[in-house]
Amino acid sequence: MHRALITGGTAGIGAAFARAFAGRGAALVLVARDADRLDEAAAQLREAYGVDVETLVADLSDRGAQQRVADRLETDVDPVDVLVNNAGFSVRASLLEEDLTAHDRGFEVMIRAVLKLGGAAGRGMGRRGRGWIINVGSVSALVTQNNYSAIKAWVGNYSESLGVQLDGSGVQVTALMPGWVRTEFHDRAGIKGSSIPGVLWLGADRLVADCLRDVARGKPVSIPSKRWKLIAAVLRTTPRGVVASLSAVLSHRRSREK
């Protein structure tokens, strides 16, 4: 039986991954900051799917918490063979701000923690000869709006690089690059999304189902839905000056939604 560890596993895309794995009979390790919310999510999953659900309270902006989760990934006791690096949040602070608090937290949760946990999972899974690592990035990595875009660009490159290093080990790495997904992520960031056409939104469960199909096919990058695959292909082949102009338009629209 598989055991999947999911960071940010109580809401949004993380919760959708938890439901998807639980529906397949996999045991879960949910990681999040809020102990009460973790307990509630775990209880609901146990009742609905009858699976074992372990919880780890961890604020991944704290390096001690990162280490605790890394230790859980690397142990051979009740081993984890699926890691979903999902925890994250929007970083909308200006790149010109003198106060780097928001940027530093973004780096810790979405870069250092991803690096730390990916390495621990790769070592443990590689030693056992089997495993899957899913790193949640974003199609926003292909534009140049803000530090969130830059962070997610790192996640995509890191995932493919980790996959190269783990080649032949039995461990597969997939970068999930979603577009606009209907979750509480945008509400928390104060993003209304009113300027985004309805056709561009995806449901979290659909997103995860598409991702897991790509994982089963051994794909290093998963971009769910034909519409977002097309958008990503266009962005990758568009001159960078044009992408910069498009990013400026998107940033202006976003600022009007505050």
Side-chain angles (χ1 to χ4, degrees), residues 217-240:
R217 294 167 181 162
K219 292 187 176 182
V221 178
S222 174
I223 305 175
S225 85
K226 292 180 180 178
R227 74 202 79 158
W228 281 105
K229 283 182 173 66
L230 176 60
I231 291 170
V234 169
L235 288 172
R236 281 176 169 147
T237 56
T238 298
R240 298 307 293 170

Short mmCIF file of all heavy atoms in Angstrom, two decimals, residues 217-240:
data_model
loop_
_atom_site.label_atom_id
_atom_site.label_comp_id
_atom_site.label_asym_id
_atom_site.label_seq_id
_atom_site.Cartn_x
_atom_site.Cartn_y
_atom_site.Cartn_z
N ARG A 217 1.99 8.04 -16.43
CA ARG A 217 2.63 7.94 -17.75
C ARG A 217 4.10 8.32 -17.71
O ARG A 217 4.78 8.31 -18.74
CB ARG A 217 1.89 8.83 -18.75
CG ARG A 217 0.46 8.37 -19.03
CD ARG A 217 -0.33 9.44 -19.76
NE ARG A 217 -1.70 9.02 -20.01
CZ ARG A 217 -2.70 9.84 -20.30
NH1 ARG A 217 -2.47 11.16 -20.37
NH2 ARG A 217 -3.91 9.38 -20.51
N GLY A 218 4.60 8.70 -16.54
CA GLY A 218 6.02 9.03 -16.39
C GLY A 218 6.40 10.38 -16.92
O GLY A 218 7.59 10.64 -17.21
N LYS A 219 5.46 11.31 -16.99
CA LYS A 219 5.78 12.63 -17.55
C LYS A 219 6.49 13.50 -16.52
O LYS A 219 6.06 13.59 -15.37
CB LYS A 219 4.49 13.32 -18.01
CG LYS A 219 3.85 12.65 -19.22
CD LYS A 219 2.68 13.48 -19.74
CE LYS A 219 2.09 12.86 -20.99
NZ LYS A 219 0.99 13.69 -21.53
N PRO A 220 7.54 14.20 -16.91
CA PRO A 220 8.25 15.08 -15.97
C PRO A 220 7.52 16.38 -15.69
O PRO A 220 7.78 17.04 -14.68
CB PRO A 220 9.59 15.35 -16.67
CG PRO A 220 9.29 15.17 -18.12
CD PRO A 220 8.24 14.11 -18.21
N VAL A 221 6.61 16.78 -16.58
CA VAL A 221 5.84 18.01 -16.41
C VAL A 221 4.38 17.71 -16.71
O VAL A 221 4.06 17.06 -17.71
CB VAL A 221 6.34 19.14 -17.34
CG1 VAL A 221 5.48 20.39 -17.17
CG2 VAL A 221 7.80 19.46 -17.07
N SER A 222 3.49 18.17 -15.83
CA SER A 222 2.06 17.99 -16.03
C SER A 222 1.38 19.35 -16.10
O SER A 222 1.47 20.14 -15.14
CB SER A 222 1.45 17.17 -14.88
OG SER A 222 0.03 17.12 -14.99
N ILE A 223 0.74 19.63 -17.23
CA ILE A 223 -0.05 20.85 -17.38
C ILE A 223 -1.48 20.41 -17.69
O ILE A 223 -1.79 20.09 -18.84
CB ILE A 223 0.50 21.76 -18.50
CG1 ILE A 223 1.98 22.08 -18.26
CG2 ILE A 223 -0.31 23.05 -18.60
CD1 ILE A 223 2.63 22.87 -19.38
N PRO A 224 -2.32 20.35 -16.69
CA PRO A 224 -3.68 19.83 -16.89
C PRO A 224 -4.53 20.70 -17.81
O PRO A 224 -4.44 21.93 -17.76
CB PRO A 224 -4.26 19.79 -15.47
CG PRO A 224 -3.06 19.69 -14.59
CD PRO A 224 -2.04 20.55 -15.27
N SER A 225 -5.31 20.04 -18.64
CA SER A 225 -6.30 20.59 -19.57
C SER A 225 -5.63 21.05 -20.87
O SER A 225 -4.52 21.60 -20.86
CB SER A 225 -7.12 21.74 -18.97
OG SER A 225 -6.48 22.97 -19.09
N LYS A 226 -6.33 20.86 -21.96
CA LYS A 226 -5.83 21.25 -23.28
C LYS A 226 -5.65 22.76 -23.37
O LYS A 226 -4.72 23.26 -24.00
CB LYS A 226 -6.77 20.76 -24.37
CG LYS A 226 -6.80 19.25 -24.53
CD LYS A 226 -7.75 18.83 -25.63
CE LYS A 226 -7.76 17.31 -25.79
NZ LYS A 226 -8.72 16.87 -26.83
N ARG A 227 -6.56 23.51 -22.72
CA ARG A 227 -6.49 24.97 -22.85
C ARG A 227 -5.22 25.51 -22.22
O ARG A 227 -4.56 26.40 -22.77
CB ARG A 227 -7.73 25.61 -22.23
CG ARG A 227 -7.80 25.63 -20.73
CD ARG A 227 -9.21 25.76 -20.18
NE ARG A 227 -9.89 24.49 -20.22
CZ ARG A 227 -10.95 24.19 -19.45
NH1 ARG A 227 -11.43 25.08 -18.61
NH2 ARG A 227 -11.52 23.02 -19.52
N TRP A 228 -4.82 24.95 -21.04
CA TRP A 228 -3.62 25.43 -20.39
C TRP A 228 -2.35 24.89 -21.06
O TRP A 228 -1.32 25.56 -21.07
CB TRP A 228 -3.64 25.13 -18.90
CG TRP A 228 -4.49 26.11 -18.16
CD1 TRP A 228 -5.74 25.92 -17.65
CD2 TRP A 228 -4.17 27.48 -17.91
NE1 TRP A 228 -6.21 27.08 -17.09
CE2 TRP A 228 -5.27 28.05 -17.23
CE3 TRP A 228 -3.06 28.28 -18.19
CZ2 TRP A 228 -5.29 29.38 -16.82
CZ3 TRP A 228 -3.08 29.61 -17.77
CH2 TRP A 228 -4.17 30.14 -17.10
N LYS A 229 -2.43 23.71 -21.64
CA LYS A 229 -1.30 23.21 -22.44
C LYS A 229 -1.03 24.16 -23.60
O LYS A 229 0.12 24.48 -23.92
CB LYS A 229 -1.59 21.80 -22.97
CG LYS A 229 -1.45 20.69 -21.95
CD LYS A 229 -1.71 19.34 -22.61
CE LYS A 229 -1.41 18.18 -21.66
NZ LYS A 229 -2.32 18.14 -20.51
N LEU A 230 -2.09 24.62 -24.25
CA LEU A 230 -1.95 25.55 -25.37
C LEU A 230 -1.37 26.88 -24.90
O LEU A 230 -0.45 27.43 -25.52
CB LEU A 230 -3.30 25.77 -26.05
CG LEU A 230 -3.33 26.80 -27.18
CD1 LEU A 230 -2.38 26.39 -28.31
CD2 LEU A 230 -4.76 26.98 -27.70
N ILE A 231 -1.91 27.39 -23.79
CA ILE A 231 -1.41 28.67 -23.26
C ILE A 231 0.07 28.56 -22.92
O ILE A 231 0.87 29.45 -23.24
CB ILE A 231 -2.23 29.08 -22.02
CG1 ILE A 231 -3.64 29.47 -22.44
CG2 ILE A 231 -1.55 30.23 -21.28
CD1 ILE A 231 -4.60 29.65 -21.28
N ALA A 232 0.46 27.45 -22.26
CA ALA A 232 1.86 27.26 -21.89
C ALA A 232 2.75 27.17 -23.13
O ALA A 232 3.85 27.74 -23.16
CB ALA A 232 2.02 26.01 -21.03
N ALA A 233 2.28 26.46 -24.15
CA ALA A 233 3.07 26.33 -25.38
C ALA A 233 3.27 27.68 -26.05
O ALA A 233 4.38 27.99 -26.53
CB ALA A 233 2.38 25.35 -26.34
N VAL A 234 2.23 28.50 -26.05
CA VAL A 234 2.34 29.83 -26.65
C VAL A 234 3.33 30.70 -25.86
O VAL A 234 4.19 31.38 -26.43
CB VAL A 234 0.96 30.51 -26.71
CG1 VAL A 234 1.09 31.98 -27.08
CG2 VAL A 234 0.07 29.79 -27.72
N LEU A 235 3.22 30.66 -24.54
CA LEU A 235 4.12 31.48 -23.70
C LEU A 235 5.58 31.05 -23.87
O LEU A 235 6.47 31.90 -23.87
CB LEU A 235 3.71 31.36 -22.23
CG LEU A 235 2.42 32.08 -21.83
CD1 LEU A 235 2.03 31.72 -20.40
CD2 LEU A 235 2.59 33.60 -21.97
N ARG A 236 5.81 29.76 -24.02
CA ARG A 236 7.19 29.27 -24.16
C ARG A 236 7.81 29.68 -25.48
O ARG A 236 9.04 29.75 -25.59
CB ARG A 236 7.21 27.75 -24.02
CG ARG A 236 7.13 27.28 -22.57
CD ARG A 236 7.05 25.78 -22.49
NE ARG A 236 7.22 25.30 -21.13
CZ ARG A 236 6.63 24.23 -20.62
NH1 ARG A 236 5.81 23.51 -21.39
NH2 ARG A 236 6.86 23.86 -19.39
N THR A 237 7.01 29.92 -26.50
CA THR A 237 7.55 30.25 -27.82
C THR A 237 7.41 31.74 -28.16
O THR A 237 7.84 32.16 -29.23
CB THR A 237 6.84 29.42 -28.90
OG1 THR A 237 5.43 29.63 -28.83
CG2 THR A 237 7.13 27.93 -28.71
N THR A 238 6.83 32.51 -27.26
CA THR A 238 6.65 33.94 -27.50
C THR A 238 7.92 34.70 -27.12
O THR A 238 8.54 34.41 -26.10
CB THR A 238 5.47 34.46 -26.65
OG1 THR A 238 4.27 33.79 -27.07
CG2 THR A 238 5.29 35.96 -26.82
N PRO A 239 8.34 35.69 -27.92
CA PRO A 239 9.52 36.49 -27.56
C PRO A 239 9.37 37.09 -26.17
O PRO A 239 8.29 37.51 -25.77
CB PRO A 239 9.53 37.58 -28.64
CG PRO A 239 8.84 36.95 -29.81
CD PRO A 239 7.78 36.07 -29.23
N ARG A 240 10.48 37.15 -25.43
CA ARG A 240 10.42 37.57 -24.03
C ARG A 240 9.95 39.01 -23.87
O ARG A 240 9.32 39.36 -22.86
CB ARG A 240 11.80 37.40 -23.38
CG ARG A 240 12.28 35.97 -23.34
CD ARG A 240 11.28 35.04 -22.71
NE ARG A 240 11.08 35.31 -21.29
CZ ARG A 240 10.11 34.75 -20.56
NH1 ARG A 240 9.26 33.91 -21.11
NH2 ARG A 240 10.01 35.03 -19.27
#
